[in-house]
Amino acid sequence: MRTGTWVTASAHIITAVIGSGVLSLAWAIAQLGWVAGPATLIIFSLITLFTSTLLADAYRHPDPVTGQRNYTYMDAVRAHLGGLKVRFCGVAQYSNLVGVTVGYTITASISMEMVRGSKCFHGKDKCHASTTLDMVVFGCIQLILCQVPNFHNLSRLSILAAVMSLTYSLIGLGLSIVKVASAKLNEGGETRTTSATVSEAQRLWRIFQAIGDIAFAYAYSTVLIEIQDTLKSSPAENKTMKRASLVGISTTTIFYLLCGCVGYAAFGEDAPGDLLSGTGFNHPVWLLNVANVCVAIHLIGAYQVSSV
């Protein structure tokens, strides 16, 4: 029985969209600059919202309100396109999902290791880090959660994961604000630093990488149909999904802009690839541990959303 609402769908979207990649947006903004960076974020958010609106109408076929349900993304492609296009879309979808879930596993294991070895990573002891055990633990958790017979039953996990993603994003944002404020007090308002000189080719490569990071940060279309399939039929699923997409994408864009821009203001050209790693903030250790725990919990839920 489908009991989902725009609230649970928004939570699923936030869980799927806001990944730990939000912590690298400061680096992406640093490569693109104050104008192009935020503009790129907004452009991709609008593209994602537009395509999500179109895809929401593809849940039923031929009529978006009374037509037959398509339970998965591949079902929607088969109903609307058919033929060889289904295979091409299948290869694209599952290749993307494999890459995403591998990334989730690696990132979650790094966060778990950061907590276990916090004294090491923050300069108190020598580092002998290995994420193998953390990957095994993460995999075992996923094996247990995969036994849940119905994706509808994971709505609470998705809401928890969404809360976790907002929590570590706020922690990264708060630490960035503190760094900006302290830099202004200590250095008379100068908060930016300048990285070592890079070649034009390296600079161009970093720009394209930053654009790719931002584009990837909004990728959730491959699981949109599955999320929509959790919604109750009244009001119409496509209307509810469009509302959820607007709420979810707006929320993520606000957090992306805040974390990216404030992180760039804090670190300047030397913005790290991960604000919560040893190359970003080092103190307070307990708060960084809380943030990394939130990252791990969020990715546990995000893995389930992506693997439906």
Side-chain angles (χ1 to χ4, degrees):
M1 182 178 179
R2 297 172 177 82
T3 58
T5 65
W6 69 270
V7 176
T8 59
S10 298
H12 288 316
I13 292 171
I14 293 172
T15 300
V17 176
I18 296 186
S20 58
V22 66
L23 302 174
S24 68
L25 288 178
W27 180 88
I29 298 294
Q31 309 312 310
L32 298 173
W34 282 113
V35 176
T40 303
L41 275 170
I42 293 173
I43 289 171
F44 276 107
S45 70
L46 294 176
I47 292 173
T48 304
L49 181 60
F50 175 70
T51 55
S52 298
T53 300
L54 295 178
L55 194 55
D57 288 331
Y59 173 62
R60 289 180 179 268
H61 179 77
D63 185 85
V65 177
T66 60
Q68 184 177 355
R69 297 177 189 270
N70 295 302
Y71 301 105
T72 65
Y73 180 82
M74 288 300 298
D75 288 342
V77 173
R78 187 174 294 106
H80 290 272
L81 299 178
L84 191 60
K85 297 175 184 177
V86 178
R87 295 186 179 182
F88 282 125
C89 288
V91 171
Q93 180 190 18
Y94 289 109
S95 297
N96 176 70
L97 291 178
V98 168
V100 168
T101 51
V102 169
Y104 284 167
T105 303
I106 294 173
T107 305
S109 63
I110 291 174
S111 294
M112 294 162 69
E113 180 61 27
M114 288 287 292
V115 175
R116 289 200 302 118
S118 57
K119 291 183 179 180
C120 157
F121 288 108
H122 299 293
K124 295 183 179 180
D125 294 318
K126 293 183 179 180
C127 288
H128 300 285
S130 174
T131 58
T132 303
L133 177 61
D134 303 287
M135 289 185 183
V136 172
V137 172
F138 185 83
C140 291
I141 294 173
Q142 297 304 329
L143 285 175
I144 294 172
L145 291 176
C146 285
Q147 306 311 309
V148 178
N150 198 321
F151 180 55
H152 309 281
N153 298 329
L154 292 174
S155 59
R156 292 183 180 179
L157 174 62
S158 192
I159 292 173
L160 174 63
V163 172
M164 293 297 101
S165 67
L166 297 179
T167 300
Y168 69 70
S169 298
L170 285 173
I171 291 174
L173 176 62
L175 291 174
S176 297
I177 292 174
V178 171
K179 184 175 178 65
V180 171
S182 61
K184 286 185 177 181
L185 290 175
N186 296 331
E187 302 177 17
E190 181 64 34
T191 61
R192 293 188 59 183
T193 58
T194 303
S195 61
T197 303
V198 296
S199 66
E200 288 298 322
Q202 289 175 319
R203 182 66 176 171
L204 184 61
W205 175 257
R206 290 184 180 184
I207 289 174
F208 282 117
Q209 185 179 351
I211 295 174
D213 287 348
I214 293 173
F216 186 74
Y218 281 103
Y220 87 102
S221 60
T222 52
V223 295
L224 184 145
I225 295 294
E226 284 83 350
I227 294 174
Q228 190 167 344
D229 191 47
T230 67
L231 300 175
K232 54 186 179 182
S233 57
S234 180
E237 299 97 341
N238 63 333
K239 292 183 179 179
T240 303
M241 194 63 200
K242 290 175 183 178
R243 181 182 181 184
S245 295
L246 177 61
V247 172
I249 294 172
S250 298
T251 302
T252 57
T253 301
I254 291 171
F255 272 91
Y256 282 176
L257 286 171
L258 287 174
C259 292
C261 293
V262 177
Y264 179 35
F267 290 96
E269 298 294 334
D270 292 328
D274 185 348
L275 291 178
L276 300 179
S277 69
T279 58
F281 298 105
N282 292 312
H283 300 286
V285 175
W286 69 269
L287 187 59
L288 293 172
N289 285 342
V290 170
N292 279 302
V293 168
C294 290
V295 171
I297 294 175
H298 167 241
L299 293 180
I300 289 172
Y303 189 104
Q304 287 297 309
V305 173
S306 297
S307 61
V308 294

